Amino acid sequence: MQGELTGGCVCGALRYALRDGFRFRPYACHCTDCQSRTGSAFSEHMLFARKDLELEGDLDSGSFQQPSGAISTIWGCAKCKVRIFAENDTRPGFASLRCGTLDRSSEVVLAAHLWVRSKQSWVAIPEGVPALFEQPRDQTEWLELVGPTKM
């Protein structure tokens, strides 16, 4: 996922452009929290530098405390409530894009699958793509698994 990326919500009231900059490779999360939040089998995420995101439209947000104690704030369209990105208070300056909101979401190539211990039984992980029982334990493991596309 190189170059400027664009996307938005379902109703079109919120649009964004993600400038080419620091970002990690996309990954799928199969945890039960992501399943509940999306109403789907998994979610696709891509960590990026928050300063690279330009938004047009009204945002709405909600916050919750994760099991780790971190506070996560989810940002999305104020009209249709589609989640666009999330910020975590333990990663200032970075956010996690919901890749399904990209205009060219069909071009997303997942670098890894996380929390496969709770994945739906009918989901098949492609051969050769890393699959973790849970998630990376520290920043070094995150970098090795989905590391940045630009430094």
Side-chain angles (χ1 to χ4, degrees):
M1 305 291 321
Q2 300 282 332
E4 182 175 276
L5 304 174
T6 58
C9 65
V10 171
C11 75
L14 181 62
R15 296 289 302 159
Y16 66 83
L18 180 59
R19 290 186 300 275
D20 196 17
F22 179 89
R23 59 180 82 140
F24 278 22
R25 293 175 294 148
Y27 65 90
C29 183
H30 298 265
C31 77
T32 54
D33 284 349
C34 282
Q35 290 177 29
S36 294
R37 283 187 212 118
T38 64
S40 186
F42 59 90
S43 59
E44 298 172 341
H45 302 268
M46 181 173 55
L47 190 69
F48 67 95
R50 179 65 178 85
K51 67 178 177 52
D52 294 333
L53 185 67
E54 294 179 19
L55 296 154
E56 290 182 22
D58 293 330
L59 283 174
D60 194 7
S61 69
S63 297
F64 66 97
Q65 186 171 9
Q66 296 179 330
S68 67
I71 302 299
S72 181
T73 302
I74 297 170
W75 296 91
C77 176
K79 185 175 179 184
C80 70
K81 305 302 182 197
V82 166
R83 175 186 174 186
I84 303 295
F85 67 97
E87 293 176 298
N88 180 313
D89 70 344
T90 65
R91 296 184 310 240
F94 296 94
S96 178
L97 182 72
R98 190 51 64 90
C99 295
T101 65
L102 289 164
D103 290 337
R104 298 180 352 244
S105 62
S106 64
E107 296 176 18
V108 171
V109 176
L110 299 173
H113 289 258
L114 309 181
W115 286 96
V116 297
R117 78 172 190 186
S118 54
K119 78 172 186 62
Q120 298 296 312
S121 62
W122 51 266
V123 173
I125 306 296
E127 195 171 311
V129 177
L132 275 66
F133 195 64
E134 292 182 348
Q135 68 183 36
R137 293 175 295 203
D138 57 35
Q139 289 182 348
T140 301
E141 285 187 5
W142 275 104
L143 287 170
E144 290 172 0
L145 188 65
V146 295
T149 58
K150 280 196 171 196
M151 294 290 276

